[in-house]
Amino acid sequence: MTEEDRQRIAATLRQLRTDAGMTTTELAGRLGWSQSKVSKTELGRTLPTPADVTAWAQATGASDDARRDLLMRAERAAAQATEWRRELAPGRRRKQEEIRRLEATASVIRVFAMDVIPGLAQTADYAETMFRLGRQIGPEENLDGVVAERLARQQVLTDTSKRFCLLMSETALRRRLVSSAAMGAQLARLIELSTQPHIDLAVIMFDAQERTHQYHSFAILGDPATDDDTLVLAETLTRGLAIRGPEEVHDYLEHFQTLREAAISDDALRAQLQELLPAQPQAGAARSRNAPD
């Protein structure tokens, strides 16, 4: 981030305050900040976080357009990538709660999971394995609580006023991250979700005629046509990305659609999932094995 970028954000915030006819002390009182923090922010000495910018815009009565523009610039300036050490410092359960709040306000949720089952579709056993293999940078935490919060996020799937597009590659179906029985339950869960009319569950099979690379996993929360804010979430090994820039969001929407065009769903997908279900031992065979010689 350049000094020019920092000063541009500071000047915009200062203009919002003066347009609202408020002193720095009055604004500080509304925000619950110290007066010195307001002054330093306006002078460009303190870089405001996206949350700070949102609170400032609300307190000064900024227009939706001004708020979105400021938030976009603050996101870009504050670090287009947030280190996981900071992001997960309060714990992974807190992070799941934050994502749940974001999902609750989105009219459309699109998820592309390149090599794992999307979080909104995971069973408890699968989710537990994902967290056990994943990052634990913050304080020691109860894994059961983290899993419970991920499963609580899935309550959003019952909202039929929302649309869900859950897309993954065939790799996600074939990786054996859990036991055969647990994977069978996970596949059964996918079959169940695929029957819901407001949920588009789709898989890019190995033999698909793909039109673009599967660069990385990501989620798009919201839709520019219906939501005030649309957010793209992605991650690397060390950082989490939160993208709100309209052009980048548009690029991700187009990329998602191109990926989706190569995928199967509905009856074709359910047939594939049924084939992958672990074979159940026949009762007669089990009795013969257990019978005395």
Side-chain angles (χ1 to χ4, degrees):
M1 176 197 180
T2 67
E3 182 61 24
E4 182 181 354
D5 293 330
R6 181 190 292 265
Q7 291 303 324
R8 187 178 296 119
I9 292 174
T12 302
L13 293 174
R14 183 167 58 251
Q15 189 63 51
L16 286 176
R17 177 185 60 78
T18 57
D19 287 348
M22 300 169 63
T23 67
T24 56
T25 301
E26 289 171 337
L27 179 56
R30 289 200 183 187
L31 294 174
W33 297 359
S34 67
Q35 189 275 336
S36 64
K37 178 177 178 179
V38 172
S39 294
K40 288 178 180 177
T41 300
E42 287 191 351
L43 293 171
R45 295 175 185 169
T46 297
L47 180 65
T49 66
D52 290 342
V53 164
T54 298
W56 190 299
Q58 290 174 341
T60 57
S63 68
D64 288 344
D65 286 344
R67 178 178 58 82
R68 280 193 290 268
D69 179 65
L70 257 177
L71 187 58
M72 180 184 68
R73 285 191 278 146
E75 289 275 6
R76 192 175 297 158
Q80 308 188 9
T82 303
E83 290 184 62
W84 284 116
R85 292 186 183 280
R86 285 199 302 145
E87 187 80 3
L88 299 181
R92 290 181 291 182
R93 182 169 186 167
R94 183 81 60 83
K95 184 62 180 175
Q96 291 299 302
E97 291 171 350
E98 177 186 331
I99 296 173
R100 177 153 64 105
R101 288 192 293 271
L102 292 170
E103 290 169 338
T105 62
S107 65
V108 185
I109 296 174
R110 298 174 175 88
V111 180
F112 171 57
M114 189 164 65
D115 54 3
V116 296
I117 306 298
L120 286 175
Q122 292 174 6
T123 61
D125 285 339
Y126 195 98
E128 188 275 336
T129 297
M130 290 299 296
F131 284 117
R132 181 168 47 79
L133 296 177
R135 308 172 187 84
Q136 184 173 328
I137 297 170
E140 214 143 312
E141 55 194 346
N142 183 322
L143 194 58
D144 289 342
V146 182
V147 172
E149 188 56 39
R150 169 158 287 181
L151 297 183
R153 282 176 48 202
Q154 297 178 7
Q155 184 64 29
V156 74
L157 294 173
T158 64
D159 187 346
T160 57
S161 69
K162 297 179 183 288
R163 289 192 297 114
F164 301 88
C165 307
L166 307 180
L167 177 63
M168 69 201 88
S169 73
E170 186 176 350
T171 302
L173 306 179
R174 295 188 177 276
R175 292 180 71 188
R176 286 300 180 256
L177 299 176
V178 294
S179 69
S180 179
M183 194 62 191
Q186 177 63 78
L187 294 173
R189 171 63 172 160
L190 295 180
I191 292 172
E192 175 192 358
L193 290 176
S194 73
T195 65
Q196 302 299 309
H198 65 299
I199 300 175
D200 176 35
L201 187 77
V203 175
I204 304 171
M205 303 302 289
F206 291 152
D207 60 357
Q209 296 298 308
E210 298 186 59
R211 296 178 53 203
T212 186
H213 285 302
Q214 299 176 25
Y215 292 104
H216 59 80
S217 300
F218 60 91
I220 309 172
L221 307 184
D223 191 288
T226 53
D227 298 294
D228 288 337
D229 291 311
T230 302
L231 173 68
V232 176
L233 298 176
E235 61 183 61
T236 69
L237 177 65
T238 58
R239 296 178 181 270
L241 301 172
I243 300 167
R244 283 189 170 90
E247 291 184 2
E248 286 188 89
V249 168
H250 179 265
D251 287 344
Y252 271 95
L253 285 167
E254 282 199 339
H255 182 55
F256 185 93
Q257 181 57 34
T258 305
L259 290 169
R260 175 63 184 88
E261 289 169 2
I264 62 171
S265 60
D266 300 322
D267 289 342
L269 174 59
R270 285 188 284 274
Q272 291 287 339
L273 293 173
Q274 288 286 353
E275 287 186 13
L276 291 172
L277 284 171
Q280 299 297 318
Q282 297 181 2
R287 281 195 299 272
S288 65
R289 285 197 300 270
N290 295 328
D293 293 333

